[in-house]
Amino acid sequence: MSGQSLLAPGELSPTRSVPGNIRRPEYVGKPAPTPYTGPEVQTPETIEAMRAAGRIAARAMAEAAKLIAPGVTTDELDKVAHAYMCDHGAYPSTLGYRGFPKSLCSSVNEVICHGIPDSTVLRDGDIVNLDVTAYIGGVHGDNNATYLVGDVDEESRLLVERTRESLDRAIKAVRPGRQINIIGRVIESYAKRFGYGVVRDFTGHGINSSFHSGLIIPHYDSPHATTVIQPGMTFTIEPMLTLGTHEYDMWDDGWTVVTKDRKRTAQFEHTLVVTDTGAEILTLP
């Protein structure tokens, strides 16, 4: 694995503004969102709105990813995704969610998830995950992907490739009538082939008009994840695989989650709707 030094917090830029005509999620300006009490199965109208939100989120992430190169800061990536979402009438869902200060999450190397964009400069050989969620039409679309920065070592490259494959396999396993734990079973069994850790404490989630509905999607084979999958359910799958332990530490910012052994980690995510025969990806550009 790359012998690069570990990350340290950078400097935050001022909070980016969102045009006043763009609808805000209800949690903006509050310490926490109102708990979701609605159904996990969504109406056709909600699903269609989520397709639109998902497309914007996917395209915003793709626009930011075009900038990824050695010497670019994670704050510059945030600026691009923020502008894209606002230009297309969407609110960046992470901005102000439980006080999160930026419009995407940027998680570099040993950061599992929820890294805050700042003055951190990407280096040749890094890997970086971008997690982008857009809110428009009263619903959210959430996706993420891990990207290579310059010339990346083979161990890290394979980790990224295999994490993407674990997501693809999990999506194919979604079927009405199966229990949610089929998703984690598929991911964990694949990851074990390579000796990877599977993060347990951060999961996929139900999503709709709520950013996180309360439905939990574990990425390991949990005996407790017995909810039966039904057509019309909308949720994310977002496996986080590591080169070492699944255990973690959290920075003092209360957001940035890093592997306890500081080995590298990768993640990929899509928002899905369950169909009569499988799952449709709602976060395609």
Side-chain angles (χ1 to χ4, degrees):
M1 191 186 76
S2 171
Q4 290 181 333
S5 59
L6 298 178
L7 293 171
E11 296 294 323
L12 286 179
S13 64
T15 301
R16 294 192 163 88
S17 62
V18 176
N21 64 313
I22 292 177
R23 179 178 172 184
R24 271 75 168 153
E26 60 83 24
Y27 53 74
V28 173
K30 296 165 53 178
T34 302
Y36 179 71
T37 57
E40 297 298 345
V41 172
Q42 303 304 310
T43 66
E45 292 77 17
T46 296
I47 292 166
E48 186 56 34
M50 290 181 68
R51 285 192 186 95
R55 280 194 298 270
I56 291 173
R59 290 170 180 171
M61 185 173 72
E63 285 299 307
K66 290 177 183 178
L67 266 70
I68 291 175
V72 173
T73 68
T74 54
D75 187 66
E76 290 175 83
L77 305 178
D78 182 80
K79 180 180 179 180
V80 170
H82 178 93
Y84 186 94
M85 285 184 274
C86 291
D87 288 347
H88 290 80
Y91 186 91
S93 300
T94 60
L95 184 62
Y97 179 78
R98 297 184 182 271
F100 192 84
K102 292 296 174 181
S103 298
L104 59 72
C105 299
S106 55
S107 301
V108 181
N109 295 344
E110 70 269 20
V111 179
I112 295 172
C113 57
H114 304 160
I116 300 174
D118 58 18
S119 61
T120 296
V121 176
L122 296 176
R123 303 162 296 182
D124 187 58
D126 283 343
I127 60 174
V128 57
N129 179 275
L130 302 184
D131 192 336
V132 179
T133 309
Y135 177 79
I136 189 172
V139 298
H140 301 267
D142 186 3
N143 68 161
N144 77 54
T146 302
Y147 300 89
L148 309 181
V149 184
D151 185 16
V152 175
D153 67 274
E154 182 71 358
E155 186 179 35
S156 298
R157 187 189 65 77
L158 285 172
L159 173 68
V160 171
E161 178 183 300
R162 290 164 176 167
T163 304
R164 182 194 296 272
E165 175 67 16
S166 77
L167 172 60
D168 292 344
R169 288 171 179 244
I171 292 171
K172 290 175 183 175
V174 173
R175 292 284 188 281
R178 291 179 171 177
Q179 294 182 341
I180 288 289
N181 58 15
I182 186 65
I183 294 167
R185 189 175 306 136
V186 166
I187 292 167
E188 187 172 42
S189 64
Y190 179 71
K192 279 184 173 178
R193 294 190 199 177
F194 312 104
Y196 295 152
V198 181
V199 172
R200 301 168 77 89
D201 292 294
F202 300 90
T203 68
H205 53 89
I207 184 170
N208 39 67
S209 60
S210 173
F211 195 171
H212 300 86
S213 73
L215 177 66
I216 301 298
I217 313 294
H219 301 122
Y220 63 98
D221 187 3
S222 169
H224 306 294
T226 56
T227 299
V228 175
I229 298 170
Q230 301 176 60
M233 292 177 77
T234 50
F235 53 80
T236 72
I237 304 177
E238 44 188 299
M240 292 151 264
L241 305 186
T242 73
L243 290 175
T245 183
H246 65 80
E247 296 181 345
Y248 68 92
D249 293 320
M250 186 174 289
W251 284 4
D252 290 342
D253 61 23
W255 284 105
T256 306
V257 179
V258 295
T259 53
K260 187 169 281 291
D261 56 13
R262 302 305 190 263
K263 291 186 177 180
R264 288 187 169 186
T265 175
Q267 181 184 18
F268 284 85
E269 174 187 24
H270 276 305
T271 295
L272 312 172
V273 60
V274 181
T275 67
D276 290 337
T277 57
E280 175 192 345
I281 298 172
L282 298 178
T283 40
L284 291 176

